Amino acid sequence: MGGGLLVAGTTSDAGKSVVTAGICRWLVRQGLKVAPFKGQNMSLNSFVTREGAEIGRAQAMQARAARVEPTALMNPVLLKPGSDRSSQVVLMGKPVGEMSARGYHGERQKELFEPVLACLEELRRTHDAVICEGAGSPAEINLRRTDIVNMGIARAARLPVVVVGDIDRGGVFAQFFGTTALLAPEDQRLVAGYLVNKFRGDVSLLEPGLAMLDGLTGRPTLGVLPYAHGLGIDEEDGLRVSLRGAVRESVVAPPYGADVLRVAVCAVPLMSNFTDVDALAAEPGVVVRFVDRPEELADADLVVVPGTRGTVKALAWLRERGLAAALARRAAEGRPILGVCGGFQVLGERVEDEVESRAGAVDGLGLLPVRVRFAREKTLARPVGEALGERVEGYEIHHGVADVRGGEPFLDGCRTGAVWGTHWHGSLESDGFRRAFLQEVAAAAGRRFVPAPDTSFDALREEQLDRLGDLIEEHADTDALLRLIEKGAPEGLPFVPPGAP
């Protein structure tokens, strides 16, 4: 059976996803066959594998880092929030129902432990190493009894654990110590060391603290990873940007033509797969921002209404905020709008939803001749087609079935004037189509913007994943990591009181 490692974190968004991807890329460059794994993921950013299974986008990104095809084994349980208290449960890539948080964290989660463990064991049987990602913090002692993603899976599979902390937020020493001290003795025996993430400055100033942490816990720090700008890697724990902030810390390159192109993305409730706009942000001269006020659409050359897990809720939000009226004005003026998946649905004439919101028939914005009926079966597909004379690949994740009643065909959706709508996520990652689409947007907006002829989104992703691998190779103790993966946690790691039951 292959080796393994669990990358845990002191908090959500500590950097578990990117560290896991970086370790995967470093290992595959050493000639090992590697797979990522996350037993349970909570995310509205998901992906469809070639066999038609829905998994978290972070695990799809990590699979790419490992240069393997993503499968449902890599993320057997996916939770897709529909409100503050309930989520859709996706098991082995297929939805199995909606559950409250209380219901899930009771007997249901315990029932999933064996299938999750079986997936991990299958990956370890077929790979040299499996790099597992935890969720939130392993020290969430209120959830430890039913844990299937942090120390529960680590203890069952005898996985060594490395804990990642985000020093940019402050308090990382307390987080490392407190995380360890709140674990039961049996769990502590697996915690083999720490990784500091997002460090800025002179590492020598950090070293006294690292030495004291080692003295207090008996565990070394296995690396100090510097703050890296502009990685733009898919994650699941949130937007990573504040509203009205530039997308994903991306650095906007100078425009290839005379003008920049401004893109406003409506930050609808339960926004899903907002990674669709990353490909736009990768284009030189394209500035992408998330917005939540109608006046912020005024200078936008393109408005994107992205996917959402709450189409009816998004419609109400757009109307309450005055964004619906602003979108209607844009459409009447012939100014470009793109709706993707749930965003496509809200642009239509009518939504009949007895599945997601159970609201029944609700009027859409009426900007596209489309009526949508929600089916109980979810569409999960990897379509390939053509638009604007270019080949397009995408993926579909939706309950809504579109009845297109007019307009020009557009990626199984339609176009009317300067309003486009499609259920296809990821279409803008097709370079030729993206350039052709942006040329149409620029012409409609009256901008002298010219898409760069050589931007390859695929190549940019590879470059970013190589940067993650470089961070691990250059700033982590790779010999120690390899020993942990091959041999497990060392014997005799000291107990840090008080521990947990």
Side-chain angles (χ1 to χ4, degrees):
M1 181 169 287
L5 177 73
L6 176 69
V7 178
T10 58
T11 63
S12 294
D13 205 28
K16 298 182 293 292
S17 295
V18 294
V19 168
T20 300
I23 294 174
C24 285
R25 178 50 60 100
W26 162 66
L27 285 171
V28 78
R29 293 195 308 209
Q30 310 310 304
L32 298 180
K33 186 179 181 182
V34 189
F37 177 80
K38 186 163 186 173
Q40 170 200 294
N41 193 350
M42 178 173 280
S43 178
L44 286 171
N45 281 340
S46 57
F47 181 75
V48 179
T49 67
R50 293 205 181 277
E51 69 266 28
E54 184 179 8
I55 66 171
R57 271 196 72 98
Q59 279 60 66
M61 175 269 292
Q62 291 159 357
R64 179 167 183 145
R67 297 181 179 143
V68 293
E69 190 67 32
T71 74
L73 291 171
M74 298 171 183
N75 180 207
V77 179
L78 174 64
L79 306 178
K80 302 194 73 175
S83 70
D84 289 341
R85 296 190 176 186
S86 68
S87 294
Q88 182 181 68
V89 180
V90 179
L91 177 61
M92 293 303 295
K94 305 296 180 183
V96 294
E98 297 274 338
M99 290 201 74
S100 68
R102 180 180 291 275
Y104 178 75
H105 287 289
E107 294 305 311
R108 181 57 170 157
Q109 191 176 34
K110 290 200 307 190
E111 291 170 7
L112 295 173
F113 184 78
E114 290 303 324
V116 166
L117 186 59
C119 289
L120 174 57
E121 289 174 346
E122 175 64 15
L123 289 173
R124 293 183 75 180
R125 188 182 64 80
T126 54
H127 294 77
D128 299 320
V130 178
I131 308 304
C132 307
E133 180 188 346
S137 162
E140 291 166 349
I141 53 179
N142 56 314
L143 302 177
R144 176 61 184 89
R145 184 178 62 85
T146 56
D147 170 45
I148 64 172
V149 65
N150 289 308
M151 301 313 298
I153 200 76
R155 197 192 296 186
R158 303 304 300 167
L159 292 172
V161 179
V162 173
V163 181
V164 178
D166 180 356
I167 198 170
D168 196 52
R169 295 180 171 186
V172 76
F173 293 118
Q175 292 170 21
F176 284 144
F177 182 86
T179 296
T180 309
L182 280 176
L183 299 179
E186 295 83 355
D187 291 343
Q188 286 195 28
R189 291 188 191 113
L190 298 171
V191 176
Y194 311 108
L195 270 172
V196 175
N197 191 30
K198 297 185 182 178
F199 180 73
R200 308 174 194 244
D202 185 348
V203 176
S204 66
L205 297 176
L206 195 64
E207 289 170 351
L210 300 179
M212 284 187 274
L213 180 67
D214 193 339
L216 288 166
T217 66
R219 291 159 174 84
T221 296
L222 301 176
V224 178
L225 308 182
Y227 197 107
H229 291 276
L231 285 174
I233 296 295
D234 301 350
E235 294 190 82
E236 76 269 1
D237 284 331
L239 210 51
R240 285 186 60 224
V241 292
S242 60
L243 279 179
R244 297 176 293 281
V247 171
R248 318 289 271 227
E249 306 170 3
S250 58
V251 178
V252 179
Y256 188 78
D259 288 344
V260 299
L261 208 63
R262 296 173 177 84
V263 179
V265 184
C266 296
V268 295
L270 299 173
M271 182 163 47
S272 61
N273 287 66
F274 53 79
T275 47
D276 283 333
V277 300
D278 284 356
L280 296 177
E283 282 286 345
V286 176
V287 183
V288 181
R289 302 177 74 82
F290 289 91
V291 303
D292 62 352
R293 297 195 297 255
E295 58 268 26
E296 294 175 305
L297 306 188
D299 67 345
D301 302 307
L302 169 68
V303 174
V304 177
V305 188
T308 172
R309 252 278 281 157
T311 299
V312 170
K313 187 177 289 188
L315 273 166
W317 182 87
L318 289 166
R319 288 182 168 119
E320 289 164 3
R321 298 239 166 191
L323 286 159
L327 288 168
R329 287 193 297 272
R330 282 188 70 88
E333 294 164 2
R335 301 176 67 198
I337 301 169
L338 172 65
V340 181
C341 200
F344 166 42
Q345 295 168 8
V346 306
L347 297 178
E349 299 170 348
R350 191 178 187 83
V351 174
E352 294 181 23
D353 181 12
E354 299 291 352
V355 176
E356 193 174 75
S357 68
R358 297 182 177 84
V362 177
D363 287 338
L365 300 187
L367 306 184
L368 288 174
V370 176
R371 295 191 177 185
V372 176
R373 176 185 56 81
F374 273 63
R376 297 204 174 276
E377 290 294 315
K378 181 184 282 191
T379 297
L380 297 169
R382 292 276 293 269
V384 177
E386 185 177 300
L388 304 180
E390 299 287 345
R391 186 176 187 274
V392 187
E393 294 184 31
Y395 59 99
E396 294 183 70
I397 307 170
H398 53 92
H399 284 280
V401 178
D403 176 13
V404 179
R405 301 185 169 200
E408 301 174 40
F410 176 71
L411 299 179
D412 290 347
C414 66
R415 170 188 182 180
T416 300
V419 182
W420 291 266
T422 177
H423 270 134
W424 292 21
H425 293 291
S427 62
L428 294 167
E429 295 175 18
S430 298
D431 296 329
F433 166 69
R434 183 179 64 255
R435 294 184 193 116
F437 176 71
L438 289 175
Q439 281 184 308
E440 292 239 357
V441 168
R447 295 284 185 190
R448 293 175 299 162
F449 169 84
V450 179
D454 56 354
T455 300
S456 166
F457 188 69
D458 189 70
L460 287 171
R461 265 194 173 155
E462 279 298 300
E463 178 186 314
Q464 291 167 337
L465 292 170
D466 275 332
R467 287 179 63 196
L468 289 180
D470 292 343
L471 284 175
I472 297 299
E473 188 168 343
E474 296 168 11
H475 300 282
D477 185 342
T478 52
D479 288 340
L481 288 175
L482 203 53
R483 282 195 302 273
L484 290 175
I485 291 167
E486 293 176 344
K487 299 180 180 179
E491 296 292 331
L493 289 168
F495 172 68
V496 180

